């Protein structure tokens, strides 16, 4: 298992307070996105709803310009059905029965908040419903493990056991991560792992924990736009994320309104 041992930055309480503000704005942006999702709305319109909230708060989108095959061109990623993460907003319209994942990052006072949700649009299949439920529960199972004295492997192991126990799969190439002034700091926090192994969690760490779940297999592929990551077998996927502070009093979710 690859791990980013370097780049772990412990935050002071004052810094965590700033991260809480970035997280609050990010949550509001995602809530605005959630509110307009319905059949006929384009993924671009979803992106604009989030972008407007970020602007209004004097904050900046964290995803815009992220380096890749080409700089990331939007405020959010909107990933539909088999698309797991990094879907680029555009003219595509949401349809009844889709499951839509929106991921967003906000920079405020130099700190980043990063979170994501998945929702069904109108009537969705029983399997899609179960997928979304399992993925969201996996997020909270992971968060519960973000405690001083635990290790990164305790987090990944709990998520993986829960997800695989429901017959679903976790990707290997995309993971959660430390977060602070940069969207990606150490440690890397995979959605799989071995309990008791990996980097010890310390008070003052901030972690973007983000279970991604696939129905068919754990394998993914990058689509021709060179950003969108889909399940290799085109099966459904879901994604939930919160930015969480590890504290002496337990995990504190930063990306809530
Ligand atoms: Mg994210
Ligand atoms: Mg993230």
């Amino acid at each position: 298992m690859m791990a980013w041992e370097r780049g772990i930055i412990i935050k002071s309480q004052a810094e965590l307070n700033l991260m809480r503000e970035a997280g609050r704005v990010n949550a509001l942006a995602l809530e605005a996105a959630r509110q307009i999702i319905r059949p006929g709305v384009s993924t671009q319109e979803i992106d604009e709803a989030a972008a407007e909230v970020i602007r209004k708060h004097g904050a900046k989108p964290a995803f815009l310009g992220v380096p890749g095959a080409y700089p990331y061109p939007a405020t959010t990623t909107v990933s539909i059905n088999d698309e797991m993460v990094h879907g680029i907003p555009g003219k595509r319209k949401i349809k009844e029965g889709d499951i839509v994942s929106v991921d967003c990052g906000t920079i405020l006072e130099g700190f980043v908040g990063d979170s994501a949700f998945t929702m069904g649009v109108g009537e969705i299949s029983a399997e899609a419903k179960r997928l979304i439920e399992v993925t969201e529960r996996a997020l909270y199972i992971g968060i519960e493990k973000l405690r001083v004295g635990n290790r990164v492997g305790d987090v990944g192991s709990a998520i993986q056991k829960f997800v695989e126990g429901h017959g679903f799969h976790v990707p290997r190439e995309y993971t959660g991560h430390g977060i602070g002034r940069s969207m990606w700091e150490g440690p890397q926090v995979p959605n799989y792992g071995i309990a008791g192994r990996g980097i010890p969690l310390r008070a003052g760490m901030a972690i973007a924990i983000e279970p991604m779940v696939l129905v068919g297999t754990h394998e993914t592929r990058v689509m021709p736009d060179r950003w969108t990551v889909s399940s290799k077998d085109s099966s459904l996927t879901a994604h939930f994320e919160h930015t969480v502070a590890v504290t002496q009093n337990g995990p504190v979710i930063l990306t809530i309104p």
Side-chain angles (χ1 to χ4, degrees):
M1 180 168 81
M2 300 259 293
W4 307 327
E5 303 258 355
R6 290 167 303 166
I8 295 175
I9 298 167
I10 299 299
K11 281 85 184 171
S12 67
Q13 187 56 53
E15 289 172 323
L16 290 177
N17 293 346
L18 290 175
M19 290 194 71
R20 176 71 184 90
E21 291 309 308
R24 186 193 315 278
V25 174
N26 202 59
L28 294 171
L30 278 184
E31 192 48 41
R34 182 198 300 273
Q35 290 300 327
I36 71 154
I37 291 176
R38 60 180 179 276
V41 165
S42 72
T43 53
Q44 177 73 59
E45 291 172 292
I46 297 168
D47 190 71
E48 280 163 8
E52 193 191 339
V53 171
I54 292 172
R55 267 197 310 271
K56 219 174 60 189
H57 285 84
K60 291 201 174 95
F63 293 1
L64 190 65
V66 163
Y70 49 93
Y72 189 73
T75 293
T76 62
T77 67
V78 183
S79 310
I80 304 172
N81 297 333
D82 59 310
E83 298 172 353
M84 184 178 78
V85 288
H86 306 169
I88 300 174
K91 294 195 170 82
R92 182 172 174 188
K93 289 194 159 102
I94 301 298
K95 296 195 304 285
E96 167 93 16
D98 281 342
I99 66 172
V100 181
S101 302
V102 184
D103 193 346
C104 190
T106 294
I107 307 169
L108 184 65
E109 305 280 351
F111 284 93
V112 186
D114 182 10
S115 51
F117 70 88
T118 300
M119 64 177 273
V121 181
E123 200 60 30
I124 61 171
S125 69
E127 184 173 66
K129 249 181 230 167
R130 199 164 68 85
L131 172 67
I132 293 171
E133 262 174 45
V134 165
T135 310
E136 187 167 21
R137 284 176 63 194
L139 170 63
Y140 290 97
I141 284 166
I143 290 171
E144 186 51 35
K145 293 287 180 185
L146 289 176
R147 291 180 180 278
V148 177
N150 280 352
R151 289 173 180 264
V152 162
D154 294 308
V155 181
S157 165
I159 291 172
Q160 181 177 24
K161 272 191 191 144
F162 180 73
V163 168
E164 291 180 355
H166 284 83
F168 296 141
H169 306 270
V170 289
R172 303 302 191 263
E173 304 91 339
Y174 303 91
T175 70
H177 48 94
I179 182 169
R181 289 187 180 275
S182 167
M183 193 151 56
W184 294 283
E185 297 180 353
Q188 189 174 26
V189 183
N191 295 307
Y192 57 89
I194 300 169
R197 298 273 184 89
I199 291 159
L201 298 174
R202 291 167 55 195
M205 280 182 169
I207 305 286
I209 184 162
E210 48 182 316
M212 292 157 255
V213 177
L214 305 92
V215 167
T217 78
H218 71 266
E219 291 184 295
T220 60
R221 58 182 169 154
V222 178
M223 303 308 279
D225 69 15
R226 293 183 291 165
W227 272 105
T228 308
V229 177
S230 297
S231 59
K232 197 167 190 180
D233 64 356
S234 300
S235 65
L236 289 178
T237 66
H239 178 211
F240 281 86
E241 178 178 26
H242 270 310
T243 297
V244 181
V246 179
T247 80
Q248 293 294 354
N249 303 316
V252 176
I253 300 175
L254 302 174
T255 39
I256 49 177

